Amino acid sequence: ATQKMYLAPLRMFSNRVCFGNGKFDKLVSFSSSLLLHGARQKKWSLQLWDEMTSQKNKFLIQELEERKQHKHDDEHRCWFDPLRFNVSWKKFAVCWNQDHWTRKNVHPL
């Protein structure tokens, strides 16, 4: 989905948003949901989780700054670069400290 015929319709939306679940997401990893690539970027979810728990919060929502998103991208190129770089996105990281029973009883979709 990185060809112009797929990217052009995405550009028509004025508000493109994606979010990554910091922990306990069964279907899509944090880095994949935020169109991130590289080993360092995979550590972000753990860093955000640690930030949330160290502040004794039950949740954390943080917009990823453009500077942070692409800081290490030159090190590794990937197949979905056109989707990451040719279409602008608002990206949010979400962490929610739900208990074991809440996670267990949530619909698996």
Side-chain angles (χ1 to χ4, degrees), residues 87-98:
V87 178
S88 62
W89 297 92
K90 289 181 185 175
K91 298 180 180 184
F92 291 90
V94 179
C95 293
W96 175 39
N97 195 5
Q98 68 273 34

Side-chain angles (χ1 to χ4, degrees), residues 1-11 35 77-87 89:
T2 59
Q3 299 160 342
K4 287 183 183 181
M5 65 184 281
Y6 297 108
L7 298 178
L10 285 174
R11 288 190 192 100
L35 305 173
R77 287 301 193 210
C78 70
W79 66 269
F80 57 88
D81 279 350
L83 185 59
R84 296 192 308 159
F85 299 126
N86 297 339
V87 178
W89 297 92

Side-chain angles (χ1 to χ4, degrees), residues 16-20 31-37 41 44 61-66 69-70 73 80 83-85 87-94:
R16 291 175 296 279
V17 176
C18 56
F19 75 93
S31 57
S32 293
S33 61
L34 291 172
L35 305 173
L36 304 174
H37 182 69
Q41 293 181 357
W44 280 356
I61 300 171
Q62 190 173 86
E63 185 173 5
L64 300 182
E65 299 170 15
E66 194 70 24
Q69 292 177 40
H70 305 304
D73 283 341
F80 57 88
L83 185 59
R84 296 192 308 159
F85 299 126
V87 178
S88 62
W89 297 92
K90 289 181 185 175
K91 298 180 180 184
F92 291 90
V94 179

Side-chain angles (χ1 to χ4, degrees), residues 51-60 97:
E51 179 181 332
M52 179 192 71
T53 54
S54 70
Q55 295 174 3
K56 299 187 188 285
N57 291 328
K58 292 208 176 257
F59 67 91
L60 173 77
N97 195 5

